[in-house]
Amino acid sequence: MDKEPMTANRILFLTAPQSIDEIYNYILGKISSSIIENTLYTTIYSSGNYEIVYELLNKIIGESFTKYTTEEQ
């Protein structure tokens, strides 16, 4: 983000069809922002530890469903 070259050891792609339900778009947005905006989460993703990344994604998805359904009401 500081326009300096960097080495990438891992890349995470979030792909979805062009037309997806709004809730899935919301969840993918939450996952994307967790990578970019949260230093702790970025460190967790970089660790490559499957179990920890799995738990983090479960947490983000669960919270997103709860928050999205609450906001919709």
Side-chain angles (χ1 to χ4, degrees):
M1 289 190 230
D2 57 6
K3 298 182 182 181
E4 293 295 319
M6 62 186 295
T7 302
N9 296 321
R10 295 181 184 91
I11 299 174
L12 174 64
F13 286 98
L14 299 174
T15 61
Q18 215 168 6
S19 60
I20 60 172
D21 292 338
E22 191 175 323
I23 189 165
Y24 299 117
N25 190 45
Y26 181 82
I27 291 169
L28 288 173
K30 289 295 186 181
I31 293 170
S32 297
S33 41
S34 76
I35 296 166
I36 297 167
E37 298 172 5
N38 189 311
T39 306
L40 174 60
Y41 288 0
T42 302
T43 303
I44 290 170
Y45 291 124
S46 325
S47 76
N49 183 312
Y50 176 84
E51 291 81 17
I52 295 172
V53 171
Y54 181 86
E55 288 302 317
L56 176 57
L57 290 174
N58 270 338
K59 176 181 181 272
I60 292 169
I61 292 168
E63 288 174 355
S64 295
F65 270 116
T66 301
K67 188 170 184 177
Y68 183 85
T69 54
T70 303
E71 289 176 0
E72 287 293 302
Q73 295 175 2

